[in-house]
Amino acid sequence: MRIFLLLIFSITSYSSIAVQDKIAIIIDDIGYRKTDVNVLNLPPNVTLSILPHTPYGKDLAEQGFLDKHEIMLHIPMEAENGKFLGPGGLTSHMNEMAIRTNLKEAFAEIPFAIGINNHMGSLLTALHQPMSWVMKFIKEQNVIFIDSATSSHSKAASIAKKLGIPTRQRDIFLDNDLEYNYIAKQFSLLIKQAKKHGIAIAIAHPHPESIESINKLLPQLAEENIKLVSISQLFNQKKIVKSKQLTD
């Protein structure tokens, strides 16, 4: 009986310390539409990434921060198709000073941002020199970088790693199609990715359809023994807390 009880205790103890698979979801492209406020209906562990200098970006960042969301900056970067970047964008024609100025102004607007992920960037992230300047600035700010992986030729994450910047790449886009069945299919792929590798990162966007679908799908994570975490919790460090005060 004693040996049996010890065996049960050992199994229970092992289960209690077993590493739980983790998923992080980033909602980016936030800032241009009034309906983007719907992101605040998502659980606090969903990370919000804000386009700089947009009509609703700063206010939503501040409210999200107060609601315990981690906030990132969604920095526009030059795409191969030449699509308009909007304010604060980074291009291959900019020198280091211009890139640093745009990044500095973005962080001045949202000083509590814990990192950056790229908006578009299929061209810029594939270029070593401008991304080295970007990563040098990120290193100085002591924040993280998430590669949205809009190009298979991206050098962003590899440069970040060389500089010792906490970095990961996006695994799944959830809402390239806004139909619920499509988002549910992508969510299933996200779960498979997490079970295979221990972690997975999804990116979605602040469309009302996306927010509604994600809220419906999130209970599946508990059923699969997967934990929804803020993006910084995918790194071997405590949750990043920016101590800077909200700007006026």
Side-chain angles (χ1 to χ4, degrees), residues 159-196:
I159 295 171
K161 288 176 183 177
K162 287 179 182 177
L163 291 177
I165 296 167
T167 186
R168 292 195 183 276
Q169 290 183 318
R170 181 269 311 165
D171 295 297
I172 301 288
F173 279 123
L174 290 178
D175 58 351
N176 286 336
D177 186 316
L178 296 181
E179 290 292 330
Y180 175 78
N181 288 341
Y182 175 86
I183 296 174
K185 180 181 177 181
Q186 294 298 99
F187 200 82
S188 294
L189 292 176
L190 182 67
I191 288 173
K192 289 180 181 178
Q193 181 78 7
K195 287 188 170 185
K196 182 177 181 180

Side-chain angles (χ1 to χ4, degrees), residues 32 52-53 76 83-90 102 119-120:
Y32 275 112
H53 318 306
K83 190 173 180 179
F84 176 69
L85 295 180
L90 309 181
N102 279 10
H119 174 55
M120 301 188 290

Side-chain angles (χ1 to χ4, degrees), residues 65-182:
F65 180 76
L66 292 173
D67 289 348
K68 310 302 182 184
H69 291 273
E70 284 189 346
I71 306 299
M72 297 183 67
L73 282 162
H74 193 38
I75 299 297
M77 298 187 189
E78 187 175 358
E80 290 180 349
N81 61 11
K83 190 173 180 179
F84 176 69
L85 295 180
L90 309 181
T91 75
S92 58
H93 302 292
M94 298 170 72
N95 60 22
E96 182 177 7
M97 182 177 293
I99 284 176
R100 291 179 66 87
T101 295
N102 279 10
L103 291 171
K104 184 176 180 180
E105 289 176 352
F107 274 96
E109 181 181 46
I110 304 176
F112 44 85
I114 59 98
I116 283 173
N117 77 309
N118 54 293
H119 174 55
M120 301 188 290
S122 54
L123 175 63
L124 197 76
T125 59
L127 301 177
H128 186 273
Q129 185 62 80
M131 291 313 299
S132 295
W133 294 333
V134 170
M135 295 307 162
K136 181 180 176 183
F137 180 89
I138 290 174
K139 177 73 172 179
E140 292 167 1
Q141 298 298 308
N142 193 31
V143 295
I144 67 175
F145 177 78
I146 303 298
D147 190 346
S148 300
T150 57
S151 169
S152 60
H153 303 295
S154 176
K155 295 179 172 64
S158 63
I159 295 171
K161 288 176 183 177
K162 287 179 182 177
L163 291 177
I165 296 167
T167 186
R168 292 195 183 276
Q169 290 183 318
R170 181 269 311 165
D171 295 297
I172 301 288
F173 279 123
L174 290 178
D175 58 351
N176 286 336
D177 186 316
L178 296 181
E179 290 292 330
Y180 175 78
N181 288 341
Y182 175 86

